[in-house]
Amino acid sequence: MPSVIGIIGAMDEEIALLLQGMEEQTRVKLSGLSFVKGRFHGKEVVVCKSGVGKVNAAVTAQVLIDRLEAETVWFTGVAGALDPALNVGDIVISSSCQQHDMDCSPLGFPRGVTPYQEVSDFPADPRLVGLAKEACVRVCKENGYRVGRILSGDQFIADGNTVAFLYESMGGACVEMEGAAIAQVCYMNSVPYVMLRAMSDKADGTADVNFAEFTAIAAKRSFEIVEEMIRHFNGL
């Protein structure tokens, strides 16, 4: 049986180009979510829009794994840059994902650490990270991407002080609202994952100007990387 690639995006813009290129499409609705099964460049894929936020993302990932037999889970979408060296359109490939809004510091736990849980910073699969890096080299050439920690929380970050904290104290390259939930589900199910995030804004208070304008551009860049990954994916 060929490997099934589960691909998640949070918004319509993040999966539209994938759906346009899919063949033999079949739609199925599970847990209130619409999943599209088909083939993309000859590979078996299931594509789904999770919706925004960690709960939506976690449900989507678990359904992909349990009901649709995804053997790897990829996320494509946009994020706000934390690393000041990143520009709009640049790509961040996940080295790991962690929740920045998990905060039990009054109990003595560092921010981002889930109490009494062995792992809180969930590593991406190194083989998928390598595949993504190779795709970025072909699409982005030498510039415009980096591997780094992706931070997730049910908040839209647009405050400079928060950006500085997440970058300097938590080591985040970018911030978004789904990745760590998907990463944790994959970790708990021993399923390899990777996140691919294109920067739509600088998370610096100008997102109301930047976001709508650059989301389409960033989503297209993220799609180009995912397409190149699928072309060269031969299973794990």
Side-chain angles (χ1 to χ4, degrees):
M1 291 288 292
S3 295
V4 176
I5 305 169
I7 303 176
I8 303 172
M11 302 183 297
D12 288 323
E13 296 91 336
E14 295 170 340
I15 63 170
L17 293 173
L18 277 167
L19 294 178
Q20 288 176 21
M22 283 178 62
E23 300 176 341
E24 304 173 25
Q25 292 189 18
T26 303
R27 292 180 180 268
V28 57
K29 195 156 189 176
L30 299 166
S31 299
L33 297 162
S34 180
F35 296 83
V36 183
K37 300 189 291 183
R39 299 181 68 82
F40 195 86
H41 292 301
K43 311 294 170 60
E44 298 288 339
V45 300
V46 181
V47 176
C48 180
K49 180 183 77 172
S50 64
V52 175
K54 291 184 295 180
V55 173
N56 283 328
V59 171
T60 302
Q62 194 64 59
V63 172
L64 272 175
I65 293 166
D66 280 349
R67 303 289 300 277
L68 297 167
E69 301 179 332
E71 296 175 39
T72 65
V73 174
W74 305 2
F75 192 103
T76 174
V78 300
L82 297 174
D83 183 341
L86 289 168
N87 296 307
V88 170
D90 286 352
I91 297 290
V92 172
I93 304 164
S94 58
S95 57
S96 64
C97 293
Q98 186 172 15
Q99 296 182 67
H100 68 78
D101 61 349
M102 174 59 70
D103 187 3
C104 293
S105 53
L107 300 177
F109 295 92
R111 183 162 168 175
V113 170
T114 302
Y116 319 117
Q117 184 169 288
E118 185 175 334
V119 176
S120 296
D121 186 21
F122 301 98
D125 183 81
R127 297 161 295 179
L128 292 176
V129 170
L131 182 69
K133 287 172 65 177
E134 291 168 4
C136 283
V137 169
R138 288 189 289 269
V139 173
C140 305
K141 309 308 179 188
E142 296 300 321
N143 299 311
Y145 74 94
R146 64 159 290 192
V147 178
R149 177 179 292 149
I150 295 176
L151 299 179
S152 308
D154 288 324
Q155 303 166 353
F156 194 100
I157 303 300
D159 172 72
N161 291 330
T162 304
V163 168
F165 173 82
L166 296 179
Y167 176 62
E168 295 167 8
S169 298
M170 296 193 69
C174 66
V175 64
E176 37 85 300
M177 301 176 72
E178 295 84 28
I182 294 168
Q184 182 169 345
V185 169
C186 288
Y187 177 84
M188 294 172 73
N189 288 274
S190 299
V191 170
Y193 88 89
V194 70
M195 300 280 151
L196 207 67
R197 288 289 191 172
M199 301 304 99
S200 62
D201 63 90
K202 300 281 281 185
D204 59 0
T206 61
D208 57 334
V209 176
N210 289 347
F211 190 74
E213 181 179 354
F214 291 116
T215 290
I217 297 170
K220 182 175 185 296
R221 172 56 61 90
S222 188
F223 161 75
E224 290 169 348
I225 306 298
V226 170
E227 181 178 34
E228 190 69 11
M229 289 174 66
I230 293 173
R231 289 183 193 272
H232 292 86
F233 181 71
N234 294 309
L236 297 179

